[in-house]
Amino acid sequence: AEANVERTYIETCLELPWNVSTEDNKDIDNAAKVLDSDHYGMKDIKERILESLAVRNITGSGKAPVICLAGPPGTGKTSIARSVAKALGKEYVRICLGGVRDEAEIRGHRKTYIGAMPGRIIEGLKNAGVNNPLMLLDEIDKISSDYKGDTSAALLEVLDSEQNVNFVDHYIEMPVDLSHVLFIATANDLSNISRPLLDRMEIIEVGSYTANEKFHIAKEHLIKKQIKENGLLVSDVKFTDKVINSYTREAGVRGLERQIAKIVRKAVRELYKAGVFTSDGTRDKTVKKTVNISDKNITDYLGKVKYRPDKKNAKGEVGIVRGLAWT
């Protein structure tokens, strides 16, 4: 009965990338280009990544600080981590911590238990195949604790650059060096993270987007993405700027992307009716039509305007309050 347990254990140990590592892309200009092409704005994060890359190039050490991106949902925290991995030429591993409440998920089970397996950190290293991937700890503020133990306490050793040189998983029972892993965590609400864990991370606030930033994000990324996902060409649909200000009012851009997707789907239907596509979905190249979405016809696609800008008075009047605070 023990033979199978031992075999699985030995195979897991042999599959771990003890000495295998990827060569980082040291071209700082290239990294800056990749980050800029994938994301508009986010100046602080990009600066911080490029600074640590520059330091790493000079010192030659793989140690990196643990960065925690904190901000409202939909502001691109998860996707910027993927871009950083692409910019540095690193393997990308995403570990979602939302709803994880058993510390064995992080530290693994002892191999004496039936069906024991290593924790997510070791599993992530195994899947990456290298000992220096970029590991994204998504939704680190959503971990919870129960009678089985405190998950955030298990993360303390993982995220401490002084201690994680000898991280011991309960299953592997040998020290594994995590100091070369670049950890990036994301969170919506920092008040839910325990103080010792928060102390180990460098917090970068990801603010909500301004109307101007949303405009550029929509123009350079979201519209192209939705047009491609819905099988159209860029020349098939022309957009107005009104979608951004009149139909969404949020910190991120998820709602904005949904509104753009809604317009593009309706545009596909119109192009079908105009004969641009045949019944089996192939394009008829002889028929040319562009769907123009302007301020005049946008209500046909998205319904009534949801948000109107506040109008200012033509002249000063008595008794008008522009803002009211109660403390």
Side-chain angles (χ1 to χ4, degrees):
E2 281 293 295
N4 207 21
V5 175
E6 291 301 325
R7 183 195 174 101
T8 314
Y9 171 71
I10 291 165
E11 280 177 356
T12 307
C13 287
L14 292 175
E15 279 175 13
L16 280 179
W18 298 97
N19 300 316
V20 185
S21 52
T22 51
E23 188 66 42
D24 283 2
N25 184 349
K26 294 186 174 178
D27 187 349
I28 295 178
D29 295 336
N30 174 61
K33 266 185 208 150
V34 171
L35 293 174
D36 284 336
S37 69
D38 288 356
H39 291 83
Y40 182 84
M42 295 189 146
K43 195 162 172 264
D44 290 352
I45 304 169
K46 291 175 183 172
E47 279 296 313
R48 184 68 194 83
I49 300 299
L50 296 173
E51 281 165 17
S52 56
L53 180 58
V55 170
R56 192 182 295 188
N57 285 357
I58 295 167
T59 59
S61 93
K63 277 196 176 180
V66 178
I67 294 169
C68 178
L69 307 176
T75 47
K77 298 185 295 296
T78 305
S79 59
I80 190 94
R82 200 181 297 116
S83 296
V84 171
K86 193 164 98 181
L88 301 180
K90 281 184 174 293
E91 292 293 325
Y92 172 71
V93 180
R94 177 174 170 268
I95 298 172
C96 189
L97 296 174
V100 170
R101 56 174 198 272
D102 183 358
E103 68 180 40
E105 294 266 357
I106 308 296
R107 276 207 173 277
H109 305 83
R110 296 219 173 273
K111 61 176 181 287
T112 49
Y113 297 127
I114 294 169
M117 55 199 288
R120 291 195 185 195
I121 305 290
I122 296 293
E123 206 63 54
L125 275 183
K126 198 171 91 177
N127 293 341
V130 289
N131 63 7
N132 63 342
L134 182 145
M135 216 171 262
L136 174 69
L137 304 174
D138 215 359
E139 312 289 1
I140 201 168
D141 56 329
K142 311 288 188 306
I143 51 176
S144 52
S145 53
D146 66 356
Y147 65 93
K148 292 194 187 90
D150 189 352
T151 321
S152 61
L155 277 171
L156 292 178
E157 186 186 5
V158 176
L159 298 182
D160 192 333
S161 53
E162 299 299 320
Q163 297 172 19
N164 66 10
V165 179
N166 299 318
F167 171 71
V168 179
D169 184 273
H170 287 161
Y171 183 79
I172 302 290
E173 286 184 331
M174 280 189 281
V176 179
D177 186 0
L178 297 180
S179 63
H180 301 297
V181 179
L182 175 57
F183 286 104
I184 294 183
T186 70
N188 297 131
D189 183 10
L190 293 176
S191 64
N192 294 339
I193 303 175
S194 68
R195 297 306 307 168
L197 187 57
L198 203 58
D199 188 47
R200 280 164 168 75
M201 301 187 289
E202 185 180 325
I203 309 296
I204 297 179
E205 294 281 347
V206 182
S208 55
Y209 292 119
T210 62
N212 182 39
E213 283 177 328
K214 281 189 188 178
F215 170 71
H216 283 284
I217 291 166
K219 207 166 186 177
E220 292 165 26
H221 302 285
L222 302 182
I223 291 175
K224 288 176 190 168
K225 180 182 165 189
Q226 285 305 325
I227 284 175
K228 189 180 173 189
E229 279 184 10
N230 288 285
L232 297 183
L233 302 173
V234 179
S235 57
D236 289 335
V237 191
K238 291 281 177 282
F239 269 83
T240 181
D241 310 342
K242 199 173 181 181
V243 186
I244 297 157
N245 301 326
S246 306
Y247 288 93
T248 61
R249 193 164 282 180
E250 48 167 358
V253 288
R254 281 202 187 117
L256 176 58
E257 189 172 1
R258 279 186 212 112
Q259 298 293 353
I260 291 168
K262 195 172 171 183
I263 292 174
V264 176
R265 283 197 303 272
K266 284 188 163 56
V268 171
R269 190 82 184 85
E270 273 187 42
L271 293 169
Y272 245 113
K273 283 180 184 168
V276 175
F277 296 101
T278 56
S279 56
D280 61 349
T282 52
R283 185 182 280 270
D284 184 352
K285 290 181 180 168
T286 57
V287 184
K288 293 271 185 272
K289 180 174 169 61
T290 301
V291 178
N292 282 310
I293 289 116
S294 65
D295 291 359
K296 293 188 181 78
N297 68 357
I298 193 166
T299 49
D300 302 341
Y301 294 87
L302 295 178
K304 281 183 183 170
V305 170
K306 289 182 184 169
Y307 303 104
R308 296 180 187 281
D310 294 338
K311 288 194 172 75
K312 70 175 186 189
N313 284 41
K315 58 182 192 293
E317 288 181 32
V318 177
I320 287 186
V321 178
R322 297 301 292 168
L324 188 64
W326 176 80
T327 57

